[in-house]
Amino acid sequence: MAFTDERLDVAGRLRVALGLMDLLGWHPLVTDQIHTAHLGPQGPLPPDLLWGGYRRRLEAVPEHEAVTCSLWFDWFEYAPTAAEAFAEVLGNDRARLLPDAPEPLLRRARRVLEHSGPVPWATKIDTYRAAARVPALHHAVFRAVLRSHHDTYGSVDPADGLALLASLELPPGTERLAALRTALAAGSPPRGAGAGAGSGVVRDGAGGA
């Protein structure tokens, strides 16, 4: 109804939809409609309002599950929107990923990295490398590489993934680290290799490390 209310312009409809996402949490009938409207005849949606809204929610202290799930399921798993979405919520800010970066940016980076498994490797590798320079993001980078390998639609280059892992300072015995290194060293492709992005299926349980 939000996107068919003729009393509202496109920006007004998007504001209502984002508000519903805040109220209802992650619900496909809300988040998917935002994605669909962006790709449909009403789109593209106003970028400052759309991506600014996502970035603000990603930086908030309480985790906004609706936003991270929306990114993962709606935007990142759908190949035609993965690059735009990743750039808007983090990639465009990779030069700001420094050890003294403000905590809101680091919160946003952690949340995006940990849900970015389906984003094409070439789109995200420079941002992963930038994040690896920040000790506070090392575990998030590890989870990003792990999910890039294990997610149903994960995307990872094994050699690049190994190099990233080698640059991280992680606690001894970090769960699944040794197995991930072994898989990447063997040149093991992502679990979903060949499946193709964009089906919107429920994410693989292995991604929830």
Side-chain angles (χ1 to χ4, degrees):
M1 292 177 65
F3 281 107
T4 58
D5 190 335
E6 296 181 355
R7 297 169 298 175
L8 301 172
D9 60 13
V10 173
R13 295 172 185 179
L14 177 56
R15 289 189 180 94
V16 171
L18 291 171
L20 287 171
M21 188 167 66
D22 292 337
L23 289 172
L24 299 176
W26 182 67
H27 194 297
L29 292 180
V30 177
T31 61
D32 180 66
Q33 286 300 311
I34 295 174
H35 186 248
T36 299
H38 185 68
L39 297 174
Q42 298 184 61
L45 298 175
D48 289 347
L49 181 58
L50 173 64
W51 299 119
Y54 271 70
R55 288 190 295 266
R56 285 193 301 275
R57 289 164 174 82
L58 288 163
E59 291 180 356
V61 174
E63 182 165 0
H64 200 303
E65 185 182 16
V67 170
T68 52
C69 287
S70 173
L71 284 175
W72 196 341
F73 290 122
D74 301 323
W75 300 93
F76 291 166
E77 283 193 349
Y78 185 60
T81 58
E84 174 193 0
F86 185 79
E88 290 286 354
V89 295
L90 185 61
N92 291 343
D93 289 320
R94 63 176 173 266
R96 298 175 56 208
L97 295 179
L98 302 168
D100 61 349
E103 184 57 33
L105 174 58
L106 295 180
R107 277 196 294 269
R108 169 157 54 101
R110 288 188 197 101
R111 291 162 179 171
V112 174
L113 290 167
E114 292 176 3
H115 292 82
S116 64
V119 176
W121 188 255
T123 295
K124 63 191 179 184
I125 177 57
D126 288 341
T127 302
Y128 281 16
R129 288 171 175 155
R133 301 185 307 231
V134 183
L137 294 177
H138 281 191
H139 194 258
V141 174
F142 159 64
R143 287 164 65 92
V145 177
L146 178 67
R147 288 176 164 179
S148 294
H149 185 268
H150 284 298
D151 277 2
T152 301
Y153 299 106
S155 177
V156 63
D157 176 271
D160 284 348
L162 274 175
L164 272 171
L165 293 179
S167 71
L168 305 177
E169 294 183 5
L170 298 168
T174 296
E175 186 178 2
R176 307 184 73 174
L177 175 58
L180 177 60
R181 282 176 170 156
T182 298
L184 292 175
S188 172
R191 292 184 55 179
S199 76
V201 298
V202 175
R203 66 192 177 205
D204 190 275

